[in-house]
Amino acid sequence: MNKRTAFFISDGTGITAETLGNSLLTQFEGIQFDMITLPYIDTLEKARNVVIKINDACQKDGQAAIVFDTIVNPDIRETIASSNGFKIDVFETFLKPLEQELQLHSSYSVGKSHAINESSRYKERIASVNFALDNDDGGRVQQYSKADLILVGVSRCGKTPTCLYMALQFGIRAANYPITIDDLETAGLPDILMQHRDKLFGLTIDPFHLAAIRHERRPNSRYASLEQCEFEVREVERRFKQLNISMINTTHFSVEEIATRIMAEAGLTRRIV
């Protein structure tokens, strides 16, 4: 497989360069990218060290490294541009056309998209994350009235990471409840869930995949057996269908995809930008 080095360089966190760069590079199958993020490159000395790293990678790979940068300082940008890498200046590429269209100059501020620009939005993000942590695995069912969403499913189907992602990225207060063997001994879903029927969203998963995940946690246990996983998934899916609860199979989706699909299907609106 063809290998290339990709650098994500910023005078801030590097999140913007990394996110955009990753999105673009995933479109090229057949190339294995060694991805390197270099945040807070905010002095000429740091920039010169970056140039050395880029040139070393170019020499090692035998071809130009791909360089994505969101550097604001023109002197630092010029220094990095002197490297042997193939450079994509994110701000130059997108801000210049926008300035022309909006007839307004950009502020070119470092780290603006990930800074605490508005205290209320930042507090909302933190509150949502804390809510997800407090209400993980049915921790505090008495708080379900404050939830925007309650994810329901068998153990290890992706509920916790999805709740945390929705809290961090969208400001959604998401709780999750694991359906256990005890819950499956009776018909329907637990009463505490049915009291908040309109907030429920089901997660399901392929039993083979579930067994593999559980085996890593409790090898050779009944909990991880394929028979047990098939039973739990079948019974939970049956209840979702009987109660007309929307659900998504998480087997082949990333956390980002799961969260975004739930947001769309549940009609939830992002609270933070």
Side-chain angles (χ1 to χ4, degrees), residues 40-273:
Y40 302 111
I41 306 302
D42 49 10
T43 67
L44 287 175
E45 181 180 358
K46 290 181 181 179
R48 285 190 283 267
N49 289 332
V50 167
V51 171
I52 293 173
K53 291 180 180 180
I54 295 172
N55 290 343
D56 285 347
C58 293
Q59 185 174 4
K60 179 183 176 181
D61 296 343
Q63 52 192 331
I66 309 299
V67 180
F68 294 90
D69 88 71
T70 53
I71 300 292
V72 170
N73 185 291
D75 294 330
I76 295 176
R77 288 162 64 193
E78 185 177 346
T79 299
I80 292 176
S82 69
S83 73
N84 297 327
F86 176 78
K87 185 170 176 289
I88 299 174
D89 186 327
V90 176
F91 282 167
E92 185 72 20
T93 301
F94 295 105
L95 284 183
K96 287 298 181 183
L98 274 173
E99 286 179 336
Q100 294 176 3
E101 175 62 28
L102 299 175
Q103 297 184 355
L104 187 67
H105 285 293
S106 165
S107 63
Y108 283 89
S109 299
V110 177
K112 201 158 188 178
S113 62
H114 298 285
I116 307 176
N117 295 319
E118 294 188 28
S119 177
S120 60
R121 290 185 180 179
Y122 181 76
K123 289 180 180 178
E124 183 64 43
R125 185 193 301 273
I126 297 303
S128 298
V129 171
N130 285 334
F131 185 88
L133 292 172
D134 286 343
N135 291 275
D136 186 38
D137 277 348
R140 297 186 180 181
V141 295
Q142 67 272 20
Q143 294 187 10
Y144 281 1
S145 60
K146 300 177 182 178
D148 299 311
L149 180 77
I150 304 170
L151 296 185
V152 184
V154 300
S155 172
R156 312 306 288 180
C157 68
K159 300 182 300 298
T160 297
T162 301
C163 284
L164 288 172
Y165 183 87
M166 296 179 79
L168 188 61
Q169 298 296 326
F170 305 134
I172 296 298
R173 299 196 178 197
N176 75 77
Y177 186 99
I179 301 298
T180 66
I181 293 299
D182 292 340
D183 293 323
L184 296 178
E185 291 179 353
T186 58
L189 294 175
D191 290 340
I192 187 61
L193 293 179
M194 295 309 296
Q195 292 175 26
H196 304 280
R197 167 70 183 78
D198 59 324
K199 298 180 180 181
L200 302 183
F201 201 102
L203 297 189
T204 186
I205 189 172
D206 178 80
F208 289 93
H209 190 59
L210 178 62
I213 294 173
R214 288 184 173 184
H215 185 74
E216 293 180 2
R217 187 178 188 187
R218 298 183 194 170
N220 303 317
S221 64
R222 180 189 175 193
Y223 168 79
S225 69
L226 179 58
E227 180 182 8
Q228 182 65 29
C229 292
E230 287 178 332
F231 168 74
E232 291 184 30
V233 170
R234 180 175 64 251
E235 285 300 309
V236 169
E237 287 184 353
R238 185 171 65 82
R239 285 163 168 74
F240 288 160
K241 291 175 182 177
Q242 284 179 339
L243 298 169
N244 197 30
I245 294 174
S246 298
M247 63 177 166
I248 181 173
N249 190 309
T250 63
T251 306
H252 300 297
F253 292 130
S254 66
V255 171
E256 294 88 344
E257 290 174 306
I258 296 167
T260 304
R261 287 172 181 268
I262 291 173
M263 289 284 292
E265 190 164 341
L268 294 173
T269 303
R270 177 195 290 265
R271 278 212 183 96
I272 57 178
V273 179

